[in-house]
Structure formats: C-alpha cells, structure tokens
Amino acid sequence: MQSRIVIFLCLLAFTPSAFSQNPRQQAGRRGRGAPQTGAGMEWRVIPLKFAKAEMAAAVIHAVMDVQIVGDERSNSLLVAGTDEQINKVIELVSDLDKQNDKTVLEADLDIISIRNREVDEITARLRNLFEDEMLITGDEQGRRVLLRGNAESIKSAVSVIKQIDTPLPTASIEFAYFQVGTSDTEFSMEIPDDLKPVARQLERFGTPRLVGRMTTSAVEGQNFSLNGQIAESTYLNTSGRLLAAANDGAVKLEMQSELRMHRAAEGERR
C-alpha cells in the first residue's frame, strides 16, 4: 500500500570466462592442474576436511560464476578468480565444510532469487528456522539464496521466503511551494482545489502564490532526494529518509531542504 504525503513550504517576503563444461563436469576434472588464470586473477588451493571436493565444487559453481575444480586425491578445491571471488569461495567453504553436512551436500539443491528484501536479512531468518536441517548460503551479489537439504525442508524454506520477500512499503511525497508576503513575483501557478485550503490559511501573511509542485517516491528505510527548478530563479535541493510508512497511511520521515535564489546577470533572460 502506498501512502501519500503533501509537504507545504512557504517563502516569506522573497522568491572473467567460465569453463565450457557444466558444474559436475568441472568438478570431475582430476589431475589436470589448476584452472587457467588471466590478468588480475590468481588461483588458490583450498583444502577440505569433511565435504567431498567434487560435490563442494558443484555446489559453489551453482551459486557463483567462478572457475573451480574439485581434486579428489587431495580433497581440495582449486579456484581461479579475483580476490573478491576467492574470498567469497572461502566464505562458502566455511558453510559447506562441516562434519554434520556430509549428507546435506548430497541432498537436493534449490536456488531462490530474492526480489525485494536484503539477502542477508532473509538468510539470517532462514538459519534461525532451518539451520539444523539444511545448508543455507546467501549470494548478495547475485541476489540469491542456496538451499541444500531434504525436499521437505526446502519446500518449507521456500514458503517462508515467499512470505518475507515482499515489497517494502512506499510513500509518495509531494512538495508544494508558496510565495507569501509580496505582490512582486516572477512566477505564479493557478492554485488547484486540493491546495486551496492551504492557501486560505496562508492569507493571514499576505497573498499566497503557488510557485511550484514536485513529487517523488520513497521506500521505507531508504534515502530519497529531489532537486530542480521550481520557479524562474528558485532552485530546490531536498533529501531525506523515509523511516516508516504504515499501512494505515501514517508516515515518519526525516528530511532537509535547501532553496537557492538566483538572479540572472544583466542582459540575460530572467
């Protein structure tokens, strides 16, 4: 549900290449040496204690596009990639290479795309509920969650994801700018019906003139910004953060706004 906010401001008295094989084919390449690396890439050997190298390589490749080979003899992973990719693989290995996860690695695999919420947020929720039943790994860059376990547990986890991966509340924020207290104005708009009650309240300070309206959308918990020209010589720069947008229409936000007056040099069109 989208809330609508109207804010009135008044101016007073002024104006790398992957392997061609599929993951299991890649994981099955034994004794052929390390993956080939290009400029800016390196390869690393990552030993495993409990997980099988071939299966771990297949799982990791399903989550991220990286060159990886499982070596069965040494039970190690040979990984080629950038520092960022290798660090991500090491992070995944820390989740995979656990004594109790041997059966999990051989279970069903499902990869769920996350559309609305933060991957880390959903991963944390799932681990609280299913950590003892399945392997749960988040891929923030690819906005995906990897689930590996029995089919029934995966089905339950997917159901939870559908419940919590919902769009964040949004609000439409409208700014209306009035000039009050002088009859000398460079620009004025006809005041529409929805703003006439506001104009009547401003009449105590002088004749109100509507000089501009601007609208933006904001997402709960995120920053918003709005800038542009609202009159011939008046410029706006507004930023803020929508703290909460309840379903009943109540909103809470913080904001700051700057208005700049610019008068054209002599000879320029004002």
Side-chain angles (χ1 to χ4, degrees), residues 95-151:
D95 286 336
L96 291 169
D97 194 27
K98 296 179 181 178
Q99 189 169 11
N100 296 329
D101 285 341
K102 287 183 178 179
T103 56
V104 171
L105 284 168
E106 299 170 356
D108 292 342
L109 169 68
D110 203 350
I111 300 175
I112 310 299
S113 296
I114 305 302
R115 301 182 181 278
N116 301 294
R117 300 302 175 105
E118 295 297 325
V119 172
D120 289 345
E121 174 190 353
I122 291 182
T123 301
R125 290 274 200 98
L126 293 177
R127 284 175 176 165
N128 287 336
L129 297 172
F130 304 102
E131 188 171 19
D132 296 333
E133 303 176 36
M134 69 176 72
L135 171 70
I136 303 165
T137 304
D139 176 17
E140 187 70 41
Q141 185 175 3
R143 295 197 54 78
R144 300 176 298 181
V145 172
L146 178 145
L147 306 173
R148 199 165 189 92
N150 64 71

Side-chain angles (χ1 to χ4, degrees), residues 48-68:
L48 302 174
K49 293 182 178 180
F50 307 107
K52 294 180 180 179
E54 296 180 19
M55 186 62 69
V59 171
I60 291 172
H61 196 277
V63 177
M64 57 184 297
D65 184 15
V66 66
Q67 298 185 57
I68 184 167

